Amino acid sequence: MIKNVHGHAVASLGTAIVAGRYLPGAPMPPEPQLGEALGVSRTVVREAIKSLVAKGMVSTGPKVGTRVLPPESWNWFDADLVGWQSQVGLTREFLRDLQELRRLVEPAAVRMAAERATVADLQHLEAAYEGMRHAVVEGGDYVRHDLAFHQGLLRAAHNRMIVQMSKALGPLLRTSFEISTARTGGARDSLPLHRAVLDAVIARKPARAEKAALVLIDGARDDIEVVLASRRRLPKLDAPPRLLRGQ
């Protein structure tokens, strides 16, 4: 129960900051006022503020109280923060930054995967691809398998820094996949692009794998642009997974 109260307080304050109800540089209300608004004790508020400090969202100090930091200081690899942004509304700038990050990291990692992937890595990637194919043909949770595929590629690079990044990138990648597959036919059209990446990794062709990864990522970017242009409601990360009906 205590964890639930704490988590609710962190989420309420974090969402309010992301939504712009507390502006960067401006002081947040004092603890008693926040506690009254949230229906929790000052101790809970204090612990929630500590959590937000750890996420880079606020700073505290004597005589200055708690102040909101600019978004550039926030830890965008934090799953909670990504979820709050999803609830408030994913911006074009957020999605642009995400796609640029993917374009910088993933192709290089895929090149390394083509050189270093183990038999176990390739089996994992084949299983993830088969899950994607099954979801397209028979129906099911495509995004879960898509995420497993991309994180598997990052792990197959066998670089400790990239492996750690694959864990941090999880919520960000899921955000991208949820949106790109929201386009009608998006998941079906991306299957051969995923297959091209996997085949190049299996064939131990680093340059071909890297090029195929770029094509895949740019295709996802184009799908996201189509979804944004349609002005349809974007998926939220706390919503149940959207299941494909099959082709």
Side-chain angles (χ1 to χ4, degrees):
M1 175 62 94
I2 293 177
K3 286 186 177 180
N4 290 340
V5 171
H6 170 75
H8 173 72
V10 174
S12 296
L13 294 176
T15 303
I17 291 172
V18 174
R21 289 198 287 274
Y22 302 119
L23 298 177
M28 293 184 67
E31 290 176 2
Q33 187 174 334
L34 288 174
E36 183 177 353
L38 296 174
V40 298
S41 67
R42 290 182 61 179
T43 299
V44 171
V45 171
R46 193 173 302 119
E47 292 302 313
I49 293 296
K50 288 181 180 178
S51 294
L52 296 177
V53 168
K55 297 176 188 295
M57 300 181 73
V58 302
S59 64
T60 62
K63 298 184 180 179
V64 298
T66 301
R67 291 184 179 273
V68 177
L69 295 174
E72 292 79 11
S73 300
W74 302 354
N75 178 12
W76 287 105
F77 291 116
D78 185 280
D80 290 337
L81 181 48
V82 175
W84 299 334
Q85 181 67 70
S86 170
Q87 292 174 23
V88 170
L90 297 170
T91 65
R92 184 177 294 273
E93 291 74 22
F94 177 90
L95 295 171
R96 178 204 63 201
D97 290 348
L98 172 55
Q99 289 306 107
E100 289 177 351
L101 177 65
R102 290 190 64 195
R103 218 175 187 277
L104 286 170
V105 174
E106 286 191 70
V110 169
R111 171 183 276 273
M112 286 187 280
E115 298 170 336
R116 303 174 181 176
T118 65
V119 171
D121 292 328
L122 297 179
Q123 290 174 339
H124 171 87
L125 290 168
E126 284 283 10
Y129 176 81
E130 175 57 26
M132 295 163 61
R133 190 200 65 78
H134 185 274
V136 169
V137 176
E138 303 292 339
D141 186 352
Y142 179 91
V143 170
R144 177 167 66 88
H145 299 292
D146 197 0
L147 180 58
F149 183 89
H150 286 269
Q151 289 189 306
L153 285 171
L154 294 175
R155 287 195 297 271
H158 290 280
N159 175 291
R160 283 175 292 185
M161 308 300 178
I162 293 177
V163 169
Q164 286 299 312
M165 186 173 285
S166 74
K167 300 175 183 178
L169 281 175
L172 294 170
L173 289 175
R174 184 190 163 197
T175 300
S176 174
F177 301 155
E178 288 280 4
I179 297 171
S180 61
T181 57
R183 180 181 72 79
T184 302
R188 181 196 64 238
D189 295 343
S190 76
L191 266 183
L193 304 183
H194 284 83
R195 189 70 242 182
V197 173
L198 180 52
D199 286 345
V201 171
I202 293 173
R204 305 293 182 185
K205 299 291 186 181
R208 196 172 94 198
E210 183 177 27
K211 183 177 179 180
L214 281 169
V215 172
L216 176 59
I217 293 167
D218 287 346
R221 178 199 61 202
D222 294 342
D223 285 343
I224 288 173
E225 288 296 328
V226 170
V227 174
L228 290 175
S230 71
R231 298 186 180 278
R232 73 177 68 176
R233 185 184 297 274
L234 297 179
K236 295 185 177 182
L237 298 186
D238 58 349
R242 186 175 60 86
L243 303 181
L244 299 184
R245 296 183 178 179
Q247 305 293 324

